[in-house]
Amino acid sequence: MAGHGGEDPGSIGAKGSYEKRVTLSISMKLAKLIDKRDGFKAVMIRTGDYYVAHDRKPKLARENKADLLISIHADAYVSPKPQGASVLVQSSRRANSEFTRLIANRQKESELLGGAGETIKKTKDKNLAFTLADMKKEHTMASSYEFATHVLKQLKKVTKLHKKQPEGLSLAVLKAPDIPSVLIETGFISNPTEEKNLNSKSHQQKLAKAIYK
């Protein structure tokens, strides 16, 4: 999933590079790699220069029965010095907040809980509903963190790392309790060297291959 798009350019590099264009290029390269493998299918949330609201992204992933949601971005800072890639996952606080809301509305939102959704919706046993939903949430969070760790191990082979461990943040695009989700910052577009690299087709391919592996 390519970050930003349309009226939302994302971050802009010193030489005028738009994050939305870099992320789309990397995402399309990643999708091609995934589609070449038997049993795998990539679904692009956007395939052109248009904006998709953050709240719609997990819904679109769910409609396409996604097993994993990957959001591709390029970082930025007010100083040109920071550099390196990082991988973000949903913070425990945000995940617990979403969980509380979901349980309160379990009659309407049971589809967010995967295979146990119908049981959670229909059971009159609140403790059972809570336990099943909590197990799903914990599995999703653990899977997200595990995948993020693997991605960092591969990314460090092709670029510098800004954060060596997955970082938990409260982000709307990562809030799905039923789909393991990560946001990958592929580098700092505000750093002159990384801006050049992020616009390089060969470097984009290296990043895509690292994520694919």
Side-chain angles (χ1 to χ4, degrees), residues 6-194:
E7 67 271 21
D8 175 16
S11 299
I12 302 174
K15 292 189 176 181
S17 303
Y18 282 12
E19 180 184 359
K20 66 176 182 178
R21 293 173 184 163
V22 169
T23 61
L24 181 60
S25 184
I26 296 171
S27 297
M28 292 181 77
K29 287 175 171 57
L30 175 59
K32 286 182 179 179
L33 290 170
I34 292 171
D35 285 336
K36 287 180 180 178
R37 181 166 178 175
D38 290 341
F40 279 62
K41 179 186 177 183
V43 176
M44 298 282 288
I45 295 298
R46 72 175 177 93
T47 56
D49 187 15
Y50 51 87
Y51 180 75
V52 180
H54 293 314
D55 284 345
R56 281 197 64 214
K57 294 172 182 177
K59 292 179 181 178
L60 289 170
R62 188 172 297 110
E63 287 172 9
N64 283 280
K65 299 180 180 179
D67 296 302
L68 176 67
L69 188 154
I70 303 172
S71 187
I72 306 293
H73 286 258
D75 222 332
Y77 194 64
V78 291
S79 164
K81 292 183 179 180
Q83 56 184 314
S86 54
V87 184
L88 312 180
V89 294
Q90 189 68 280
S91 69
S92 297
R93 183 176 179 180
R94 178 64 181 266
N96 289 332
S97 174
E98 287 294 323
F99 176 73
T100 300
R101 181 189 63 77
L102 187 149
I103 283 295
N105 295 281
R106 65 188 174 100
Q107 299 297 327
K108 294 181 179 179
E109 303 197 57
S110 60
E111 75 276 4
L112 304 188
L113 296 162
E118 279 302 302
T119 301
I120 293 168
K121 178 180 179 179
K122 293 178 180 179
T123 183
K124 294 181 180 180
D125 187 336
K126 291 184 179 180
N127 288 330
L128 175 61
F130 182 93
T131 299
L132 290 173
D134 188 57
M135 287 173 64
K136 183 64 178 179
K137 179 202 69 173
E138 291 298 323
H139 175 73
T140 298
M141 290 182 67
S143 298
S144 300
Y145 192 91
E146 182 181 6
F147 179 72
T149 301
H150 286 303
V151 172
L152 284 168
K153 287 179 180 179
Q154 295 299 325
L155 284 174
K156 74 177 181 180
K157 297 176 183 179
V158 300
T159 190
K160 292 183 178 179
L161 294 183
H162 182 61
K163 295 288 179 67
K164 295 181 180 180
Q165 299 293 329
E167 183 180 10
L169 286 180
S170 178
L171 300 169
V173 74
L174 300 178
K175 72 177 185 178
D178 56 327
I179 306 174
S181 308
V182 299
L183 187 150
I184 301 172
E185 298 281 11
T186 53
F188 278 79
I189 202 168
S190 54
N191 177 282
T193 300
E194 292 204 334

